[in-house]
Amino acid sequence: MNNQQKSHFCKLSIIFIIFFSYNLTTQDYTIKLLEKYSPFADKIINYTLKDSSSFEKLAFMCDAFGHRLSGSDSLNKAIIWLEQEMKKAGLENVHLENVMVPHWVRGNEFCKLIKPYQRHLSFISLGGSIKTPKEGITAPVLVVKSFEDLEKQKNNVQGKIVLFNYDYKNYGQAVQYRFHGAEYAAKYGAIASLIRSATPNGMNNPHTGSMGYNDSIPKIPHGALTVEDAALIERIQKRGQTPVITLYMESDTLPDKLSYNLIGELKGSEAPDDIVVIGGHSDSWDVGSGAHDDASGCIGTLQAVRILKELGLRPKRTIRVVAWVNEENGMRGAWAYAKAHQNEKHVLAFEWDSGVFPPSEIRVSPDTLVHKLKIFEPLLSKIDSIKIIKGGFGVDIIPLTQAGVPTMSLNTEDHGQYMWYHHSPSDTPDKINPYEFNKCIATIALIIFIYADL
Amino acid sequence: MNNQQKSHFCKLSIIFIIFFSYNLTTQDYTIKLLEKYSPFADKIINYTLKDSSSFEKLAFMCDAFGHRLSGSDSLNKAIIWLEQEMKKAGLENVHLENVMVPHWVRGNEFCKLIKPYQRHLSFISLGGSIKTPKEGITAPVLVVKSFEDLEKQKNNVQGKIVLFNYDYKNYGQAVQYRFHGAEYAAKYGAIASLIRSATPNGMNNPHTGSMGYNDSIPKIPHGALTVEDAALIERIQKRGQTPVITLYMESDTLPDKLSYNLIGELKGSEAPDDIVVIGGHSDSWDVGSGAHDDASGCIGTLQAVRILKELGLRPKRTIRVVAWVNEENGMRGAWAYAKAHQNEKHVLAFEWDSGVFPPSEIRVSPDTLVHKLKIFEPLLSKIDSIKIIKGGFGVDIIPLTQAGVPTMSLNTEDHGQYMWYHHSPSDTPDKINPYEFNKCIATIALIIFIYADL
């Protein structure tokens, strides 16, 4: 925590001390705060839940610009459109900040089973992978279930394409294979590597995402098969046959390109230099149209502030909306923002990058903040059964977290469904329920307003 | 009901009369039958639920031959393999019967949005559709929600591509647009037609299926968009813009090809000329590998009889397993079988073409059979909570139904999920739970054995 954050915390603490110094009991204090913010809550909730513009804007962003991979023209066009929407919403200080972003491109790609029979395989390169030679790579496949299984079979890896067909448990586990699979396989001599797509529910959607290389280990092409086709290859191996596949990828990393973080503000009435920064990320993967991930976060946080402005609710502190760029494959926007604004007084950093489902939890850090905000649960319960709990995470707010800024994020009750769509062709607006989207926006508008106004 | 069926019914009735003539109460009669068949039920269930070969065979059929559209080499290879499996299972009178089947081919196809912006659209031709001209069809789209909506807008249809983006209620409703959409749209001057895929859960899978033309109305190309892309086109129209698309299809109907119905039997011990015919269909659509639809029905019914044979359970009447060909787009196998075997005494026709989920109901016709078989529910309950109810349907047994043969079918508790995969790339073996498959097979083996032995 730096001095600025310490200062904000001192202020929050002073508020509490003042209440107690007037010999108010905790219960009295809670009642006072709830009485104060209850009319604001009603206003925000009633207005937001009847609003139809949020889903319309999200769908337009997805439909008109399509996918928004860093370095693409469609991303920059979407950001420029979003800038106009911020201006139309009446936000102040709306502007773009230059960010040089990675420019990885997919190109043509395919994967096919050659032996024991010929089959098209549904395949997608993972973001950042190198290409194959022009003639592709044709090689036998070795299916492994885990890194441990790979280790056991390390003498059988040379010259093979390793397929990690792990039993899916959760995204965190799956990401290990997506991010590190090529490195682990290449260590033992694999010439390419594949993973089962990182999803509990394949439905023939290949899921992409970021991957990494280790400079001390040869770089090999790395991609994902659908759940269906990974299972097919494993069944063939289990029958005692050796599957042979041909893999062709043109994916490449071109020179960095200019893109932008987008910023707009609702200036605070009493402490405009105290900044509550909220946002989502403007970029998506180059499949689907990034409706959940993360047009919802960009549009949702913008709409939350637009609604506060339309209701004439200007809190004491400034609420700044940021559409960070390049969350998916580089975090360049996050680091650029943190650097450009390092001398400002951030009193909170909030990112919404968890998809649109019924809001269930507001997660906050540090832990002391949980107790301070928990008293507002009765107001949030007017929207849904929402708890204030420990946590608070977003990739784009990692740099601010590291600088000691308190964090907040929204969790939703997705029953695992977010990962059905995540980084796949099926992340499209039809997967978003407009009413649930409004409930999330109302939640954010309310808790952020209270936080910025305390 | 013809004379043969009448004869079987008389026999069933005589069994009942005999019991009653011995002054047994209904309860006594039920207990006697349950006592008689309970040991058989235990044998069948214990053996089947521990069996691992059923799923392995299903997966092999899907993996090794792929999709099995009528007229394809892969279908005929799969049928020849299935014939060998029948022989290995020890069935008697295993043989193929020639059937000339339709030979519709897909060829290359694509659909893209041209205005208001360019997008690839996920598209699939519907089975039986004519092709587009070589240059494709580029035209504005009119989105309608129903046939009634089309009727209202009939003066606006000329020269358009009509998209039926109905609100999905059930498969029966969806099939109306799939089968008759081209005819209805062409009636008012449309030059092509599209439907939202017939599924409650799109996940970017286009779903194909059969369609029809009316010879008195111009034939126009007819295909399906994914749920996602149909929704996209409708959103554009709702914004007051006119979507324009280019549609390209090479689909064509070639001369009929030779294929086969496959037949094998477990001959009855006392009345071998009384035939209980059971089966599924060997063909599938040319996407996915037809795991649920209907490798499960072919393999499942074969396995049911294989298990009876391995357990030494030979019923009084003959059980005949048939893999009917061309259920999906012609019913040629069904009609050929009914014609070739019209002089035989069919005492029951059973088809399993409803996918693999926990077995829930045995549906039978005529209604009098419900009461006669309902007493065996306690034995079926050892497998799952299975009811005997009115019904009994299968496309391939329609000709036998029309000839008056009693019918039976298996319903499963799919919670709508079967239609997620149906006729789409995601109908693959990984969607089948081997234990649920075994439960269905045990159900079929048990009820068919009892029926054939009564």
Coordinates of all heavy atoms in Angstrom, one line a residue, chain B residues 22 38 65 67 91 98 104 173 196 228 283 287 352 392 404 414 424 431 454:
Chain B
Y22 N -57.6 -70.6 -13.9 CA -57.1 -71.3 -12.7 C -57.5 -70.6 -11.4 O -57.0 -70.8 -10.3 CB -55.6 -71.6 -12.7 CG -55.2 -72.7 -13.6 CD1 -54.7 -72.5 -14.8 CD2 -55.5 -74.0 -13.2 CE1 -54.3 -73.5 -15.7 CE2 -55.1 -75.1 -14.0 CZ -54.5 -74.8 -15.3 OH -54.2 -75.9 -16.1
S38 N -38.1 -62.8 -12.7 CA -37.2 -62.1 -11.9 C -35.8 -62.6 -12.0 O -34.8 -61.8 -12.1 CB -37.7 -62.2 -10.4 OG -36.9 -61.3 -9.6
F65 N -15.5 -45.2 -39.1 CA -16.2 -44.9 -40.4 C -16.7 -43.5 -40.5 O -17.0 -43.0 -41.6 CB -17.4 -45.9 -40.5 CG -16.9 -47.3 -40.3 CD1 -17.2 -48.0 -39.1 CD2 -16.1 -48.0 -41.3 CE1 -16.8 -49.3 -38.9 CE2 -15.7 -49.3 -41.1 CZ -16.0 -50.0 -39.9
H67 N -19.0 -40.2 -40.4 CA -20.4 -40.0 -40.6 C -20.9 -40.9 -41.7 O -20.1 -41.4 -42.6 CB -20.8 -38.5 -40.9 CG -19.9 -37.8 -41.8 ND1 -19.8 -38.0 -43.1 CD2 -18.9 -36.8 -41.5 CE1 -19.0 -37.2 -43.7 NE2 -18.4 -36.5 -42.7
L91 N -25.3 -64.3 -33.8 CA -26.7 -64.2 -34.3 C -26.8 -65.1 -35.5 O -25.9 -65.5 -36.2 CB -27.1 -62.8 -34.7 CG -27.7 -62.0 -33.5 CD1 -26.8 -61.8 -32.3 CD2 -28.2 -60.6 -34.0
N98 N -30.4 -55.8 -50.1 CA -30.1 -54.6 -51.0 C -31.2 -53.5 -50.8 O -32.4 -53.9 -50.9 CB -30.0 -55.0 -52.4 CG -28.8 -55.8 -52.7 OD1 -27.9 -56.0 -51.8 ND2 -28.6 -56.3 -53.9
W104 N -27.7 -37.8 -51.9 CA -27.6 -36.3 -51.8 C -26.2 -36.0 -51.3 O -25.8 -36.6 -50.3 CB -28.7 -35.7 -50.9 CG -28.6 -34.2 -50.8 CD1 -29.1 -33.3 -51.6 CD2 -28.0 -33.5 -49.7 NE1 -28.8 -32.0 -51.1 CE2 -28.1 -32.1 -50.0 CE3 -27.3 -33.9 -48.5 CZ2 -27.6 -31.1 -49.1 CZ3 -26.8 -32.9 -47.7 CH2 -27.0 -31.6 -48.0
Q173 N -41.9 -28.3 -33.6 CA -42.1 -27.0 -34.2 C -41.0 -26.6 -35.1 O -41.2 -26.1 -36.2 CB -42.2 -25.9 -33.0 CG -42.2 -24.5 -33.4 CD -41.1 -23.7 -32.7 OE1 -40.1 -24.3 -32.2 NE2 -41.3 -22.4 -32.6
R196 N -33.1 -20.8 -38.5 CA -32.3 -20.9 -37.3 C -32.2 -22.5 -37.1 O -33.2 -23.2 -37.3 CB -33.1 -20.3 -36.1 CG -32.6 -20.6 -34.8 CD -33.8 -20.5 -33.7 NE -33.6 -21.5 -32.7 CZ -33.2 -21.2 -31.4 NH1 -33.1 -19.9 -31.1 NH2 -33.0 -22.1 -30.5
E228 N -26.6 -18.6 -33.2 CA -25.9 -17.3 -33.0 C -26.0 -16.4 -34.2 O -26.3 -15.2 -34.0 CB -24.4 -17.6 -32.8 CG -24.0 -18.2 -31.4 CD -24.2 -19.7 -31.3 OE1 -24.8 -20.3 -32.2 OE2 -23.9 -20.2 -30.3
D283 N -27.6 -45.3 -40.9 CA -27.2 -44.1 -41.6 C -27.2 -42.9 -40.6 O -27.9 -43.0 -39.5 CB -28.0 -43.7 -42.8 CG -29.5 -43.4 -42.4 OD1 -30.0 -44.3 -41.7 OD2 -30.0 -42.4 -42.9
V287 N -22.4 -34.8 -40.7 CA -21.6 -34.0 -39.7 C -21.6 -34.8 -38.4 O -22.5 -35.6 -38.1 CB -22.3 -32.6 -39.5 CG1 -22.0 -31.7 -40.7 CG2 -23.8 -32.8 -39.2
W352 N -35.1 -48.1 -31.5 CA -34.4 -47.2 -30.6 C -33.7 -46.1 -31.4 O -32.7 -46.3 -32.0 CB -33.4 -47.9 -29.7 CG -32.8 -47.0 -28.7 CD1 -33.2 -45.8 -28.3 CD2 -31.6 -47.3 -27.9 NE1 -32.4 -45.3 -27.3 CE2 -31.4 -46.2 -27.1 CE3 -30.7 -48.4 -27.8 CZ2 -30.3 -46.1 -26.2 CZ3 -29.7 -48.3 -27.0 CH2 -29.5 -47.2 -26.1
G392 N -44.9 -45.6 -28.5 CA -44.3 -46.6 -29.3 C -44.1 -46.1 -30.7 O -45.0 -46.2 -31.5
G404 N -50.3 -52.6 -38.9 CA -51.0 -53.1 -37.7 C -50.1 -53.8 -36.7 O -50.6 -54.4 -35.8
D414 N -33.7 -37.1 -21.1 CA -32.5 -36.4 -21.7 C -32.6 -34.9 -21.3 O -31.6 -34.2 -21.6 CB -32.5 -36.5 -23.2 CG -33.6 -35.7 -23.9 OD1 -34.6 -35.3 -23.2 OD2 -33.5 -35.4 -25.1
S424 N -25.8 -32.5 -35.8 CA -24.7 -31.4 -35.7 C -23.4 -32.1 -35.6 O -23.2 -33.3 -35.2 CB -25.0 -30.5 -34.5 OG -24.4 -31.0 -33.4
K431 N -20.3 -37.8 -26.0 CA -21.5 -37.3 -25.5 C -22.3 -38.5 -24.8 O -23.4 -38.3 -24.3 CB -22.4 -36.7 -26.5 CG -21.7 -35.5 -27.3 CD -21.2 -34.5 -26.3 CE -20.6 -33.3 -27.1 NZ -19.7 -33.6 -28.2
L454 N -43.3 -64.5 -23.6 CA -44.6 -64.6 -23.0 C -45.5 -65.7 -23.7 O -45.5 -65.8 -24.9 CB -45.4 -63.3 -23.0 CG -45.0 -62.3 -21.8 CD1 -45.8 -61.0 -22.0 CD2 -45.4 -62.9 -20.5

